[in-house]
Amino acid sequence: MSARTHKKHHAVSDEALGMVAAWFRTLSEPSRLKILRTLEEGEKSISEIVEASGLTQANVSRHTQSLVEAGIVGRRREGLAVICFIADPTITSLCDNVCNNLLKRLTHQVKGLGGA
């Protein structure tokens, strides 16, 4: 018997599934994931994100806008600076879960190839 448990899922409309897919598409861009990893350390200004991520200011601004529109990142003005922060804290655990799963899969593949 499988160790997995089956959850009862609520009916979800095609429109809602489209919204979920769009949310995941937002996360499909590596630069946006890099911005999120930077913001996991705490809120930062756009220029601090640029410095920490190595991305250009134009890229940070563009990708941050996409993350804001998805409700994942929030931002506010402090004087002339735009401060960004993680608005949806569940994103951190989601990213951690995906990274841990990937690490397990890669470790299993390496072992399968005779690696350490």
Side-chain angles (χ1 to χ4, degrees), residues 26 29-32 35 46 49-50 55-70 73 75 84:
T26 300
E29 168 57 52
S31 294
R32 293 181 192 144
I35 291 168
I46 294 290
I49 296 170
V50 167
L55 300 169
T56 65
Q57 178 147 357
N59 273 334
V60 168
S61 294
R62 181 169 53 92
H63 290 304
T64 300
Q65 179 64 32
S66 294
L67 292 165
V68 168
E69 288 171 0
V73 167
R75 63 179 172 211
C84 297

Side-chain angles (χ1 to χ4, degrees), residues 9-108:
H9 295 282
H10 299 285
V12 180
S13 70
D14 288 346
E15 183 180 355
L17 290 173
M19 292 171 68
V20 171
W23 189 84
F24 277 106
R25 274 193 302 277
T26 300
L27 298 175
S28 70
E29 168 57 52
S31 294
R32 293 181 192 144
L33 295 174
K34 189 180 268 194
I35 291 168
L36 286 173
R37 295 306 269 187
T38 300
L39 291 175
E40 283 180 352
E41 300 167 5
E43 51 185 45
K44 296 195 177 356
S45 69
I46 294 290
S47 60
E48 289 172 321
I49 296 170
V50 167
E51 186 177 324
S53 68
L55 300 169
T56 65
Q57 178 147 357
N59 273 334
V60 168
S61 294
R62 181 169 53 92
H63 290 304
T64 300
Q65 179 64 32
S66 294
L67 292 165
V68 168
E69 288 171 0
I72 298 167
V73 167
R75 63 179 172 211
R76 69 176 185 283
R77 282 209 170 269
E78 282 188 9
L80 297 176
V82 174
I83 306 298
C84 297
F85 55 91
I86 293 179
D88 181 353
T90 63
I91 196 67
T92 302
S93 59
L94 175 67
C95 288
D96 288 345
N97 286 337
V98 170
C99 289
N100 289 335
N101 183 275
L102 182 59
L103 181 60
K104 286 178 190 174
R105 285 182 31 219
L106 292 174
T107 300
H108 181 72

